[in-house]
Amino acid sequence: MTREFTPPRAAEFSELIKKRLEEVKTAGGTRETVTVEWNEQPLHVEVIDLPLDGLYFNPSTHRIRAQRSHDPVKNEILDKDPYGAESQRYLRFLLQAEPADPNRRDPDFDKLKESLKEFGQNDPGLVTHDGVLVNGNTRAAALLENGTQSMRVGVLPESFTLADINAVELSLQLRDDHRRDYSYINRLLAMEEQAALGRTPEAIAKVFRIKTPRYHQERWILSTIRDMIERSKSGGGVALRLVDFEDDQEKLKELHRAYEKLNAADPDQAEEFKELRMAAITLGFAKTDVRHIEEGFQKRYLERTLPTNLNTASAQEEAVAVPGLGVSVPAASSAVSAARALNDQILRAKAAVLSTDPAVSDNEKQSAQSLFDDAKDAFDKAIDAAGRDARVRKRKQMAPARLADACADIDQCVVDLVQARATRSLDEEAFDEAVLKLRDSLHKLAQQAGRGMPNPGDGVSWLIEAVALEGS
């Protein structure tokens, strides 16, 4: 969480706010208020007009928490001097940018800007007595671009701490009617922040309007992302950023579900599977392609397509010594080690390719791009082969699956028939016609099942004999 700082003109702005609040109270007539949730209780605060050039963007807003890492140098300045001119310009830039790629301007921001220009400000923002925006940061940035001079804001109590402010912002942004959702990573960070405050998983899940298992899934995903970022660091300190995983929500959720299921049966297989799927996600493969990476993918498909500079099949981690006990525990299997080593290479290559740090030379970037392209080509070929095999398996299993469904329907038909007879509601004529259709279908099935099977099994043999007997 960002440390508590006081804006440079906090005292001056606080006096202005007090004067405006007093003017509203003495003016008479209907006073505008805005209701916020604080400590699970409604809090009604007065709304006033304040000059936009005196308001500060909130450096700890959950709206752009993940995106702050887009420029590490500016993020460091933001940490040290959050209300300085350069830091405020950086916040304004991020509020206008696409969550997944801050280098691009967000079309939703432009829509908001046009809406404010045409219809004006419908809902008030929210501000502290120091002039820091708690809610309405994006609207303030849009109003500034439109040349608007002032903004309607509700004023929070002067006694509010940073923790109170963050809690209020979170409750407002998670309402069903908010205009612009938090990006995926920012939601994960907000949950992590709530957990750091000592709140229980059940309480946090309730705030975010999700079930507790979903909350645990989201925490696992953020932990995995942080692990990938840490492992992507090279000697020069270049690393991936939280924002680089912004578009991977569904792929990460599918990874967690499959990992949990596999981990219960075979932890080593689960770890190998996780490493390879994360590598494919880092390489930018689509969700439908990533699904083809299942247990055994590395041995059956990937090892034969990897170039020599990426083939880590021989990797084996040493046993791990337990301090104080004088014993060692087995390291991860060679397959897990190989998958991890490969993933590490891909993570570092992508970090170097995406880096804007001048310390990363052009030669280093070219080398990283070459490795990244080789890995993507190898995964592409392996995924294609796995996909072809999956389609073949699906075709092989389709006929038995349909017959199993038909058997289930017939079993249910027996139950329905008994009930219909008990209540004397059976349409015997319609039932007889349906049985005749069944007979025709079984004739066709027997005819096809008997072809190309020199040694039919018991089931097919019974079907052919039954149909032949019925025909005679």
Side-chain angles (χ1 to χ4, degrees), residues 261-281:
K261 186 177 179 180
L262 187 55
N263 190 51
D266 189 336
D268 266 5
Q269 279 273 19
E271 287 302 317
E272 179 190 346
F273 162 81
K274 183 177 94 171
E275 293 293 339
L276 294 174
R277 277 218 178 178
M278 283 306 305
I281 290 170

Side-chain angles (χ1 to χ4, degrees), residues 327-349:
V327 297
S328 297
V329 295
S333 69
S334 58
V336 176
S337 301
R340 186 180 176 88
L342 173 62
N343 192 17
D344 284 348
Q345 286 182 279
I346 294 168
L347 289 166
R348 288 170 188 156

